[in-house]
Amino acid sequence: MASVDDEEGCETSSLIWVNSLLKGLWPNAATALENFIKNELTSKLRDGTPFSLHFARFSLGNGVPSFGPIEVRRHSESHVLLELETRYSSAVDILLTAGSTGSLSLGVKRLDFFGKLCLELKPLLDTWPIVGAVIIYFAAQPKLELQFSGIVDAPMPGLAKRVQAAVDGLFSTLVLPNFKCIQVTSDERMLSLAACTREPIGVLKVHVCRGINLAGANWKMGAVRSFTSNPYCVVRLGGTSLCTSTVRNTTNPDWPETDTAYFIVHNREQEVQVDVMDNDQGFFQRNFVGLLGRLRVSVSQLLSMRDAAKEKVCRYKLDTSQVKSGLLHVDDPVNTGVPSEIDLKYKWLEFAPASVSDRADRNHPYETHAEPHGVALVELHFGTGFPEEAAMKGLRWKCWIQEAGAAAAAAVYSSSGKSPEHPDFQTSLPDCLHHAIDRLNALSVDAAEIAAIIEADQAEVEHYLMAKSKHVESEAQRKLEHGEVQCMELSWYETLAVLVSEPDTSVIHLSLVNARGEVMGPLE
């Protein structure tokens, strides 16, 4: 892996006219959303939960969402990336009640949202609809702050955090490496793996070296400035995380080099999050402090301060606003205004093509904690013969690396396979004409007359009718052989990325798993 990274050029623009238009449309859009919540979502909540949950009130207030600035990056002749900042801040009136009498209630009185929404348009076509697919995702977790009312005002520890975590979990399904792919063109020949997936751009090496002036979770009443913690770190980027070792009885810990994490990066705006925690897992819990501080920094911020291929150590101030300061010693750094900090060592590893000479010149064994030699990209396209019942609930691929003499690496998962909306008849005729052709053919209208009626090429109509006939025959034959047991085609068009340290001895494992995580079968 090399360590050279060229900044991509981009164009930035405000969206004043969009926000002006949205200001006029938002009252109607907000009313439509509120009606949907009251009329449809409430009934689903009532029927799907044992507590008869329903929205007693739902109003988004007078705030209007705003968009911009927007950055447009052209990655290639067939690929454009739009990065759009989105904001919404308003006093709201949302009340969720439970029980027949509504005695249990949870209210939200203010909502503040900020996120950078990314839209990838690819491939760009020379025919309508110009764009083959749109990939939608957030590079980093959007920031959504809720101010609660109702039951959360009562002394019920942890309820507000659980609700906040549940809402954040909804957004995390669109945070890289997760994304949503919307196919714009119906011609699947225009779509490919490259059109419907995101490939990584590099690997980030991260090591939390030490902590300085961390909060002291353990202290005794009456003791003067005698407080310690058992700190460890949880380092996250995207869907991958690393838990470091615990350093006991200190507020200035040093973590070993073995606690180094390697993260596969898909977008420079992805965030590295470091949660410094207190390990209080004895037989009896002695304190309830938990979080000692948090750091969030984007990959682009780290890269802007790096020095080419060299490792760099930077000191960062932790956000301690969520630390339970009331449970700390009065002289604790968090209570006296002394900043809690960590030293973060990092290095950017960019992809470089592997060469035969690189492999031939390796005359030394891999070190136990050496940098990864590369990334294996496992391409998932499509397949047939998947059981319909399991496929409708969701079938995913689980992929992991097994290296000689080492424990299995953490697995990565694909999204659920998607079934085709219609059989692929390999024709350029629009889908909307297929039904018309079927109806006319059922009335014994010949291909030439059908082509004249729908103003299409006769050869295309004949090709469609022949392909449709073969499809009907194959379906009849399948039912004759297997009864009504339904098997279906699924497509993924996705790339799974896994780190490889020892390519000569590593084995890639790939298994199909159902919605419950049960292995349906390995792919040998």
Side-chain angles (χ1 to χ4, degrees), residues 258-278:
T258 52
D259 289 338
T260 297
Y262 294 90
F263 297 109
I264 298 174
V265 179
H266 293 80
N267 186 291
R268 289 191 181 94
E269 295 308 313
Q270 286 185 269
E271 283 186 340
V272 177
Q273 178 174 312
V274 181
D275 287 344
V276 185
M277 309 292 295
D278 174 60

Side-chain angles (χ1 to χ4, degrees), residues 53-68:
L53 288 174
H54 67 281
F55 286 95
R57 296 194 303 271
F58 189 94
S59 172
L60 292 175
N62 297 321
V64 178
S66 64
F67 297 100

